[in-house]
Amino acid sequence: MSGRIELRGIEVYARHGVLEEEQVRPQVFRVDLVVFADLAPAGRSDDLDDTIDYRRLAEQVNETVGGESHKLIESVAHRVAETVLADPRAERVVVTIHKPEAELGAVLDDVSVTVDRSS
């Protein structure tokens, strides 16, 4: 039996981008996660040890996105997905990285990439 845990709008300041200034000046990134896992054991036991701790998920996102700089947010999303899937209870994860301050030479609200990975 499967279920999902969703975290939306995790804000992390980081240095990702192709432009040199993006590697120097931190900007905001927003991360959305959808983690698919069997939630029935936790539903029956009411025990945090029987599920994926979403506090820990948020910490992992902060550590991964806020850590090493990358040129592409595709690379950042891939690393977040790998981190989440390291927990054997995670069956699948959908990661969206939003870069609302992207320098694109156009007026827009947001740019984002989404990766969908399975264990």
Side-chain angles (χ1 to χ4, degrees), residues 1-3 37-51 91:
M1 185 175 297
S2 192
D38 184 358
L39 303 181
R44 287 189 293 272
S45 70
D46 197 30
D47 187 339
L48 182 60
D49 290 334
D50 289 334
T51 192
E91 301 164 358

Side-chain angles (χ1 to χ4, degrees), residues 14-17 19-27 69:
R15 295 176 177 92
H16 304 296
L19 302 176
E20 186 176 326
E21 67 189 53
E22 293 177 308
Q23 294 288 319
V24 176
R25 181 185 59 87
Q27 59 185 296
S69 291

Side-chain angles (χ1 to χ4, degrees), residues 39-96:
L39 303 181
R44 287 189 293 272
S45 70
D46 197 30
D47 187 339
L48 182 60
D49 290 334
D50 289 334
T51 192
I52 299 172
D53 183 348
Y54 48 85
R55 179 186 306 263
R56 182 66 189 132
L57 284 174
E59 290 170 354
Q60 289 173 323
V61 167
N62 275 305
E63 292 166 5
T64 303
V65 177
E68 181 183 353
S69 291
H70 298 277
K71 291 180 181 174
L72 303 178
I73 57 175
E74 291 87 342
S75 182
V76 178
H78 177 77
R79 282 167 176 69
V80 170
E82 285 182 328
T83 299
V84 172
L85 290 173
D87 185 322
R89 294 170 294 192
E91 301 164 358
R92 178 178 160 214
V93 63
V94 178
V95 180
T96 302

Side-chain angles (χ1 to χ4, degrees), residues 8 12 26 35 37 42 70 91:
R8 303 267 182 214
V12 182
V35 182
H70 298 277
E91 301 164 358

